[in-house]
Amino acid sequence: MKKLFVCLLCVVMMLGLVSCFNKEEPITYDEYMAAEVESEVIVDMYVQATQSWWDNKITVYAADKDGAYFVYDMACSEADAAKLTKGTKIRVTGHKAEWAGEIEIVDATFEFLESDPYIAEATDLTALLGTEELISYQNQLASFDGLFVKKIEYKGGERGDDIYLTVTHNGTDYDFCVERYLTDPDSDVYKAVEALEVGDVIDVEGFLYWYEGVNTHITAVTAHDVDTYADYDAAAIDDRIVADVYVQATQSWWDNKITVYAADNDGAYFLYDMACSEADAAKLTKGAKIRVTGYKAEWSGEVEIVDCHFVALEGDPYVAEAVDLTDKLGTDELISYQNQLVLFNGLTVKKVEYKGGERGDDIYLTVTYNEADYDFCVERYLTGPDSDVYKAVEALEAGDVIDVEGFLYWYNGANPHITNVTVK
């Protein structure tokens, strides 16, 4: 009898060991991403948001410290749905699936796990828009800054359905979405998006859902006011700027970038290496109105807008007239006219030289006024070697007296970019 009991005990222990060895363990995010579509997956994750519960199902946006998950129509009682609060840890069992590019978990069930909550922070993915790398962040909470609103429409044509938001960045359109089951018509997000207008500049936060391309499900949106010149002037370096300006001139387009001299009725702007397609560059004619967004920057005294892009605006053209600042040469007041089209009369040529020593590069022009020397420049990307301005300046001789017109660029002091020169 004793021997029989020992044998039975051994069998029970062996069955227990087999059970332990066969127990399926959760996989990591990397293992999940490497798994074949339609394979069974078991993943531990933290709830970040949920869509509306219905018919004993709920859709969950979830994450861990390595990535994010979209769990579609997970089996869930109404009572358990109320417990799926942000940061809650759950173990999900289901099948990996793909639909129109979206990787998700379907046919899922779950169990609650004891754990401290985890809430993911949004990752700024603005720079990855339009790149192949963006999809590697799929389903994560992401932010995108400085987008232009292009179109707003309700999915079904009436309020209450999803909102389709088309935005533009660096000249390319992207489709975002207000998912009504995530942020319903009574939510602040829904109301904020439907109140947007074409041309608005916005920052967006949302889950990086995928539907035949990026289709972010929006969770927050911030619209930026358009800055006046006074706002721009008072802004701190690195502040975001949104300004309506008029093109006055451009430097040569290259590599999908263009530098613009711009103005409004109150002042002027230098838009450095603005994102721009070649087709759009051709539309940046003198007087054209654009809305630009970027960041205020400073380099060797020159205040400018960098990392910027734009959209065209309807409006009558505006072309600034040159301001005579001859009497302000050598004064502290001169810099307050930075980047404006200005005029200096009665300057005496002291030296003319090519930047690189050979024709074709910038021309550095040193002039004298009231016994003080000033450095002017023929910027080859603004007025190239074939232009009348370039040819006129290189023909100057020491002692010539000239009137000069140009944009009041700054480089460790006044360094106007010449647009016209007249010999007295």
Side-chain angles (χ1 to χ4, degrees), residues 202-248:
I202 60 173
D203 298 339
V204 175
E205 191 173 285
F207 295 107
L208 191 61
Y209 188 78
W210 211 262
Y211 178 72
E212 297 177 355
V214 58
N215 189 237
T216 305
H217 287 180
I218 300 170
T219 57
V221 63
T222 302
H224 293 273
D225 293 332
V226 176
D227 297 312
T228 63
Y229 181 78
D231 294 331
Y232 165 68
D233 191 44
I237 298 301
D238 295 330
D239 278 357
R240 172 169 287 287
I241 300 298
V242 179
D244 290 352
V245 302
Y246 298 84
V247 175
Q248 303 300 296

